Amino acid sequence: MVGRTSLSNRVIDGTILAVLILFTLACLIPLLHTVAVSFSDKTAADAGRVVLTPIKATTASYSKVLDDTQFFNAFFISVKRVLFGGLLNFALNIMMAFALSKEPKEFRMRNTYMWFLVFTMLFSGGIVPWFMTIKSYGMLDSMWALILPHAVQVFNVILLMNFFRNLPKELSEAAEIDGAGPWYIMLRLFVPLSLPAIATVTLFSIVFHWNSFFDGLILMNSQDHYPLQTYIQTLVAQLSAQAMTAMSPDQLAEAMAVSNRTFNAAKIIISMIPILLIYPFIQRFFIHGITLGSVKE
């Protein structure tokens, strides 16, 4: 009986290990392939001969992306968007989640606000009303157009609200008996005890702001105001035949050294670097889980 149980456990453990290895390879192989393509020669990349190692290694694609002052301008715009947008998300998500985590007897309009938020998460007004609304507020071609429409991210609010609800109610009740107000309870009790969840939703916000490109393409009139992802998206179009006709011989030779395939791979790798640098510092909070409280009753 013990032998069969041990064998059964080993089979289950082996199955889980095999699934995890397959899942890891499914994540790593596309990344390694993209890195290899970005460093490969144009001909080899276009012929599809690159697998996991570069062929005729070259940095021409990276030079094409980086040898451009507009690239760094777009990079700093994305950094500003992440800083201001992330801070706004951080503050509003915590305040909304704290209020919505209360019972209806403490916050009578809680269910109404909750249904309103869920409705906006499930149903969108569409691109045209979204564009007209932002235009009516005079935010087109400004940083606010990229930040304010995403100031409250309902999914993150719900995640944080569920985390707050898992905290013992006796903590806030004891603080109220001692005379603490809602702001004190939120900032001195709930926030310190919810760092894993706050770090997780903050990373979600950072990744969202960093990777967004469509809103910049629609809401920015000038290329000087493009965030990085929007600017990189437009670089491929600039390598079209029409754009090449306006290039000098040196610029044309430089452009011919890369292809859309290697160019796209290079822009993917470059755009991943900031997130890869931030992730190790926040990753340890994921261990605690997004739905688990730090303190249990």
Side-chain angles (χ1 to χ4, degrees), residues 245-276:
T245 58
M247 292 181 179
S248 66
D250 292 338
Q251 291 174 326
L252 184 60
E254 184 182 0
M256 292 299 291
V258 301
S259 68
N260 283 348
R261 190 177 176 84
T262 59
F263 196 57
N264 284 334
K267 74 179 184 181
I268 290 171
I269 298 302
I270 291 176
S271 62
M272 288 172 56
I273 291 175
I275 298 300
L276 292 177

Side-chain angles (χ1 to χ4, degrees), residues 206-244:
I206 290 173
V207 172
F208 169 80
H209 282 293
W210 184 260
N211 287 338
S212 295
F213 75 93
F214 183 72
D215 50 358
L217 200 61
I218 298 296
L219 303 175
M220 298 293 110
N221 295 325
S222 171
Q223 194 177 42
D224 293 336
H225 297 158
Y226 280 175
L228 180 61
Q229 302 299 337
T230 305
Y231 176 67
I232 289 178
Q233 179 69 22
T234 61
L235 287 180
V236 176
Q238 290 180 2
L239 285 179
S240 64
Q242 184 178 0
M244 288 183 178

Side-chain angles (χ1 to χ4, degrees), residues 146-211:
L146 304 176
I147 295 175
L148 289 183
H150 309 289
V152 174
Q153 296 172 331
V154 179
F155 181 73
N156 291 346
V157 170
I158 293 175
L159 289 179
L160 204 53
M161 177 191 70
N162 288 329
F163 197 96
F164 285 163
R165 283 181 176 176
N166 285 329
L167 296 178
K169 293 182 176 58
E170 287 79 5
L171 284 174
S172 56
E173 291 173 355
E176 289 174 0
I177 292 174
D178 290 339
W183 286 101
Y184 184 92
I185 295 173
M186 182 184 72
L187 296 176
R188 302 298 296 272
L189 294 179
F190 278 65
V191 171
L193 293 174
S194 307
L195 287 180
I198 292 174
T200 303
V201 298
T202 300
L203 180 63
F204 289 168
S205 299
I206 290 173
V207 172
F208 169 80
H209 282 293
W210 184 260
N211 287 338

